[in-house]
């Protein structure tokens, strides 16, 4: 499978944002393209232009939020706003960069190889199952994202987050966009790299904990995973504050509970 760069229509389709590029104009129903483009980035560049200095835009996406095992992983990616790479498919077809969930595993792996050299910068951050149990998913996700952003070669001026909730908060300047992984090249790149990185981690765990299907399900619920939990219980890589333990009478005593009256990060075993 080979890759190439193709020209892209980079014209912005939206109008200038009332609040410096951070209040998005939602796309019309059915208007989300399958191939990611630079519409959001172009709006941000126009709104945040400062004396001709380039605006550094980071796309951020996560994977593993709903899994029962393994870390939550976040990637922050920055492009130079050039045409994104595409893959050669069968015949004359090409495969465009987009949300990792819309790509096959083979295409994700091929894109990941190309993106690491094409991007102007990227970094991975993660929060462990223990950290998720300790502080909850929202805070663990924020920590993982901050770790990724702080590991970039230069701090971004603005961050595009996939979804409608700003879990980063101050001091980060954030624009939230629903389906940003299908509309923004930087977020699509982050989506692919986060997914490939975490899938690799879970495949490695599968070698040490066979039977849970980590290589296939990446720690998400599956019949194989649920059966292994019923028979053998959770591994050291499972999230012990998750509700799946409520249905496992033999292992329910292992569940961790955060005490809301004791402050963030306090755990009790009930």
């Amino acid at each position: 499978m080979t890759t190439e760069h193709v020209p892209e229509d980079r014209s912005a389709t939206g109008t200038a944002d009332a609040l410096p590029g951070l209040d998005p104009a939602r796309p019309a129903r059915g208007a989300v393209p399958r191939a990611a483009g630079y519409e959001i980035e172009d709006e941000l560049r126009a709104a945040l232009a400062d004396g001709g200095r380039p605006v550094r835009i980071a796309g951020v996406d996560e994977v593993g939020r709903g899994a029962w095992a393994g870390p939550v992983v976040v990637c922050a990616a920055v492009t130079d706003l050039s045409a994104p790479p595409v893959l050669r498919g069968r015949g004359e077809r090409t495969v465009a960069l987009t949300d990792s969930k819309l790509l096959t595993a083979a295409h994700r792996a091929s894109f990941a190889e190309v993106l690491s050299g094409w991007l102007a910068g990227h970094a991975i951050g993660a929060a462990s199952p223990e950290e998720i149990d300790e502080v909850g998913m929202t805070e663990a996700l924020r920590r993982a994202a901050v770790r990724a952003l702080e590991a970039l070669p230069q701090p971004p001026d603005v961050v595009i987050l996939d979804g409608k909730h700003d879990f980063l908060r101050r001091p980060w300047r954030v624009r939230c966009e629903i389906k940003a992984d299908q509309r923004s090249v930087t977020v699509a790149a982050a989506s692919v790299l986060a997914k490939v990185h975490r899938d690799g981690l879970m495949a490695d765990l599968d070698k040490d904990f066979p039977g849970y299907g980590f290589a296939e399900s990446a720690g998400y619920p599956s019949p194989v995973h649920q059966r292994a939990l019923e028979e053998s219980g959770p591994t050291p890589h499972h999230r012990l504050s998750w509700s799946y333990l409520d249905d496992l009478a033999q292992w329910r005593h292992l569940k961790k509970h955060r005490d809301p009256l004791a402050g963030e990060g306090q755990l009790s075993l009930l």
Side-chain angles (χ1 to χ4, degrees), residues 35 91 239:
R239 303 167 188 180

Side-chain angles (χ1 to χ4, degrees), residues 41-55:
E41 288 87 344
D42 284 342
E43 290 179 9
L44 289 169
R45 289 173 64 218
L48 302 177
D50 181 16
R53 183 180 69 82
V55 179

Side-chain angles (χ1 to χ4, degrees), residues 23-169:
D23 187 18
R26 302 299 181 195
R29 184 182 298 273
V32 176
R34 188 174 181 87
Y38 279 117
E39 173 190 347
I40 300 171
E41 288 87 344
D42 284 342
E43 290 179 9
L44 289 169
R45 289 173 64 218
L48 302 177
D50 181 16
R53 183 180 69 82
V55 179
R56 290 188 295 271
I57 303 170
V60 167
D61 204 7
E62 55 79 21
V63 64
R65 186 188 305 213
W68 290 357
V72 62
V73 170
V74 174
C75 179
V78 179
T79 80
D80 62 2
L81 301 178
S82 62
V86 298
L87 303 179
R88 281 296 184 190
R90 296 179 180 177
E92 298 299 317
R93 297 180 60 187
T94 59
V95 180
L97 179 62
T98 187
D99 173 11
S100 64
K101 296 184 291 296
L102 299 179
L103 299 170
T104 67
H107 288 153
R108 286 195 297 267
S110 295
F111 267 124
E113 291 183 4
V114 178
L115 288 171
S116 60
W118 174 74
L119 288 168
H122 73 282
I124 296 285
S128 69
E130 293 85 358
E131 195 168 10
I132 294 169
D133 288 336
E134 180 184 356
V135 301
M137 177 52 73
T138 299
E139 174 61 15
L141 188 58
R142 187 193 70 81
R143 292 182 181 186
V146 169
R147 287 163 187 159
L149 288 166
E150 290 182 341
L152 289 172
Q154 292 180 301
D157 297 303
V158 64
V159 176
I160 305 173
L161 281 185
D162 183 33
K164 61 182 180 179
H165 299 298
D166 177 8
F167 56 79
L168 268 174
R169 304 188 301 275

Side-chain angles (χ1 to χ4, degrees), residues 254-270:
L254 297 175
K255 187 173 182 180
K256 293 182 178 179
H257 301 261
R258 284 184 304 281
D259 184 352
L261 300 179
E264 184 178 81
Q266 298 299 315
L267 284 171
S268 61
L269 288 174
L270 301 181

Side-chain angles (χ1 to χ4, degrees), residues 234-253:
T235 72
H237 301 280
H238 276 85
R239 303 167 188 180
L240 298 182
S241 58
W242 251 225
S243 61
Y244 69 86
L245 278 172
D246 295 336
D247 299 324
L248 302 174
Q250 185 178 357
W251 311 105
R252 195 177 299 152
H253 65 284

